[in-house]
Amino acid sequence: FETEDHLVVKMELAGIRKDDIEITLDGRVLIVRGMRPDPCRHHRCTFRQMEVDYGHFERRLVIPKTIDGSRVRAQYHNGFLHIDLPKAQKSDFAAVTVIIEQGNES
């Protein structure tokens, strides 16, 4: 969603550790990569129904506005990733890796 001063991306990433998520802003492309571990990796499982994908994933979002890459912030709390992208008139950053902070209870 968009506010007057920011673009905000929220993603549900249940079952993924914060340390297994990587966020990169490359020009106007926001890249979120990660890995959800397979619970059956070490032993055989038989599923009746599965609604969760396991393994590596990558999402690419084209950002429609110029972003201040030096002020991008991300928080991860209770399975939700919140990325705050401050708008800018011009960007001096070609690529930025975003550090994910532990989110608050609020």
Side-chain angles (χ1 to χ4, degrees):
F1 62 89
E2 183 173 354
T3 68
E4 187 175 324
D5 300 325
H6 296 83
L7 293 171
V8 179
V9 174
K10 288 182 83 171
M11 299 177 79
E12 179 188 8
L13 298 175
I16 300 174
R17 294 179 331 121
K18 177 178 79 78
D19 295 339
D20 291 335
I21 302 169
E22 177 186 324
I23 304 169
T24 306
L25 180 63
D26 189 359
R28 288 199 174 183
V29 178
L30 179 69
I31 305 164
V32 179
R33 294 183 182 100
M35 206 285 279
R36 180 178 287 124
D38 184 349
C40 295
R41 189 172 129 209
H42 298 294
H43 59 281
R44 184 178 169 95
C45 295
T46 303
F47 292 100
R48 303 273 184 207
Q49 180 175 341
M50 182 188 326
E51 297 182 9
V52 177
D53 291 327
Y54 294 98
H56 292 278
F57 69 89
E58 179 176 298
R59 301 289 183 271
R60 291 175 176 260
L61 299 143
V62 176
I63 304 301
K65 308 273 185 186
T66 303
I67 299 301
D68 181 350
S70 68
R71 297 183 341 170
V72 173
R73 298 289 180 260
Q75 289 190 345
Y76 186 63
H77 182 68
N78 285 342
F80 287 93
L81 179 63
H82 179 110
I83 306 169
D84 187 52
L85 303 152
K87 294 179 187 176
Q89 293 299 317
K90 67 175 195 156
S91 178
D92 295 329
F93 294 90
V96 176
T97 299
V98 180
I99 304 300
I100 304 169
E101 302 166 2
Q102 188 64 40
N104 298 335
E105 291 292 325
S106 59

